[in-house]
């Protein structure tokens, strides 16, 4: 079976350009997760590399299938200059390792919580996983492998995460859209939820 990570990195480079920084984190009992940083104007994008090395397994399955199953990488986009967002590297790597560590399947509409600020002073401790396909196209792999999906992450405040738990991801995204929320603003406040 071919290693998918060089193909994933090539797809990220073709969509986002050359990374200007990269960091690697290895958690006990897991493969290494890298986070690549891409700068484009006043936007910086952070993308995981390593999460898609293995398919995500259904946590209720007795045995994980080593071939079949969804594969994904995570992409976070924020505006530069308003916060020290480079400190998001470790929390992003934690989220990228969560399928291996916790046996979760990361999919659009899911909430992922790191239990601490995403970066120093951030009003966000969790993210909403958005639909893929806009920024980085899915990477088709040879059958029987599932394609690699590049899932955008939208930072959520604790109040927004609570609203999402009650009303669902669609309702939160509609609220953001209605209010013209800049989801790339690393210092934005929670939207009104009443």
């Amino acid at each position: 079976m071919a290693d998918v990570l060089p193909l994933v990195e090539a797809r990220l480079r073709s969509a986002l350009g050359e990374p200007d920084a990269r960091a690697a984190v290895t958690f006990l009992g897991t493969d290494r997760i890298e986070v690549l940083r891409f700068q484009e104007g006043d936007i910086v994008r952070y993308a995981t590399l390593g999460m898609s090395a293995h398919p995500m397994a259904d946590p209720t399955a007795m045995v994980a299938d080593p071939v079949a199953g969804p594969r994904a990488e995570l992409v976070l986009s924020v505006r530069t200059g308003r916060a020290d967002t480079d400190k998001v590297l470790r929390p992003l790597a934690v989220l990228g390792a969560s399928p291996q560590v916790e046996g979760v399947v990361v999919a659009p509409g899911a909430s992922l919580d790191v239990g601490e600020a995403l970066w120093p002073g951030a009003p966000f401790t969790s993210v909403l996983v958005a639909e893929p396909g806009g920024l980085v196209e899915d990477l088709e792999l040879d059958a029987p492998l599932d394609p690699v999906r590049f899932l955008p992450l939208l930072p959520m405040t604790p109040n927004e995460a609570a609203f999402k738990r009650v009303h669902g991801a669609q309702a939160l995204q509609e609220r953001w859209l209605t209010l013209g929320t800049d989801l790339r603003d690393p210092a934005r406040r929670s939207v009104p939820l009443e």
Side-chain angles (χ1 to χ4, degrees), residues 52-131:
S52 62
H54 305 286
M56 292 180 275
D58 180 344
T60 62
M62 294 297 287
V63 178
D65 189 320
V67 177
R71 294 173 188 259
E73 296 291 351
L74 308 174
V75 181
L76 173 69
S77 300
V78 292
R79 294 196 184 286
T80 59
R82 299 205 58 205
D84 186 10
T85 56
D86 280 350
K87 298 287 196 274
V88 78
L89 299 176
R90 184 166 177 77
L92 258 186
V94 167
L95 297 178
S98 62
Q100 289 182 60
V101 174
E102 299 172 24
V104 297
V105 175
V106 178
S111 300
L112 303 175
D113 196 316
V114 295
E116 62 186 26
L118 291 176
W119 51 82
F124 319 106
T125 60
S126 62
V127 293
L128 175 65
V129 181
E131 290 291 333

Side-chain angles (χ1 to χ4, degrees), residues 4-17 36 38 47 49 73 133 135-141 147-150:
V4 303
L5 294 184
L7 302 173
V8 170
E9 184 168 354
R11 175 56 55 94
L12 286 168
R13 286 172 184 265
S14 69
L16 305 176
L36 284 60
F38 301 88
L49 178 63
E73 296 291 351
L135 185 62
V136 183
E137 288 184 31
D138 292 354
L139 172 65
E140 297 295 331
L141 301 173
V148 176
R149 302 172 84 197
F150 297 88

